[in-house]
Amino acid sequence: MCGHDMPMPSEYGLEFLLAFDGRIHHLEEGYWIKFEIERVEATKKRPHGLCYSFTLHAPDGARLVGFDNAHGVPAKGAWFKRKPPASDHWHRTKTDPGRPYQFKDAETLIDDFFDEVDRVLAERGIGTTVVEVEDTRRSK
């Protein structure tokens, strides 16, 4: 195989991320992270061709952090700004309606998500050790 036939590093990152679809990582003290991601047809709302939702949950199931592109959110900073064309956004708290997120690539997305997970867990004094991995995908 020639060097130019090799996938670009971002393709490796994307394939790695796609492999997490359907996984739930159970953390210490009942906290958990859920990953949903799949390839879809590229559209204005999803120009990168991905539909995703990564969420951190408290033991009672409350969402503490979420990165997804399930719906659009208002532009940050003003009521009269137009919504961004893409629907990528993130939620900093369980009541946050969402803030626009600038999708760059799979590696940056997962890094940004885990930065927020680390922040929230550290604020609560909870470690990031994964104690169990559950795969909710159905065999095809």
Side-chain angles (χ1 to χ4, degrees), residues 110-126:
I110 200 69
D111 284 347
D112 291 345
F113 172 68
F114 276 110
D115 285 348
E116 284 302 307
V117 167
D118 290 345
R119 177 191 63 80
V120 168
L121 292 176
E123 287 174 356
R124 293 166 174 255
I126 305 299

Side-chain angles (χ1 to χ4, degrees), residues 15-140:
E15 291 303 320
F16 177 79
L17 192 57
L18 286 165
F20 276 76
D21 180 44
R23 286 190 185 173
I24 297 175
H25 288 197
H26 297 275
L27 308 174
E28 301 172 11
E29 298 189 40
Y31 288 79
W32 47 282
I33 299 171
K34 183 175 182 181
F35 301 93
E36 296 176 338
I37 184 166
E38 65 180 324
R39 288 183 197 262
V40 296
E41 184 176 331
T43 64
K44 275 187 169 184
K45 287 181 69 172
R46 296 184 179 113
H48 40 66
L50 296 172
C51 180
Y52 64 89
S53 173
F54 306 144
T55 52
L56 168 67
H57 298 267
D60 66 0
R63 183 186 68 194
L64 303 175
V65 172
F67 279 61
D68 68 83
N69 62 355
H71 58 85
V73 296
K76 188 176 179 185
W79 288 96
F80 300 106
K81 281 187 177 178
R82 282 193 161 156
K83 280 185 177 181
S87 58
D88 300 281
H89 62 279
W90 68 288
H91 305 268
R92 186 176 174 119
T93 65
K94 63 183 175 183
T95 58
D96 181 0
R99 303 157 186 238
Y101 175 76
Q102 183 64 48
F103 182 93
K104 179 182 173 190
D105 56 36
E107 293 94 345
T108 305
L109 172 62
I110 200 69
D111 284 347
D112 291 345
F113 172 68
F114 276 110
D115 285 348
E116 284 302 307
V117 167
D118 290 345
R119 177 191 63 80
V120 168
L121 292 176
E123 287 174 356
R124 293 166 174 255
I126 305 299
T128 58
T129 302
V130 176
V131 296
E132 180 185 351
V133 176
E134 178 182 351
D135 191 344
T136 65
R137 289 178 292 187
R138 296 181 185 167
S139 299
K140 293 183 179 183

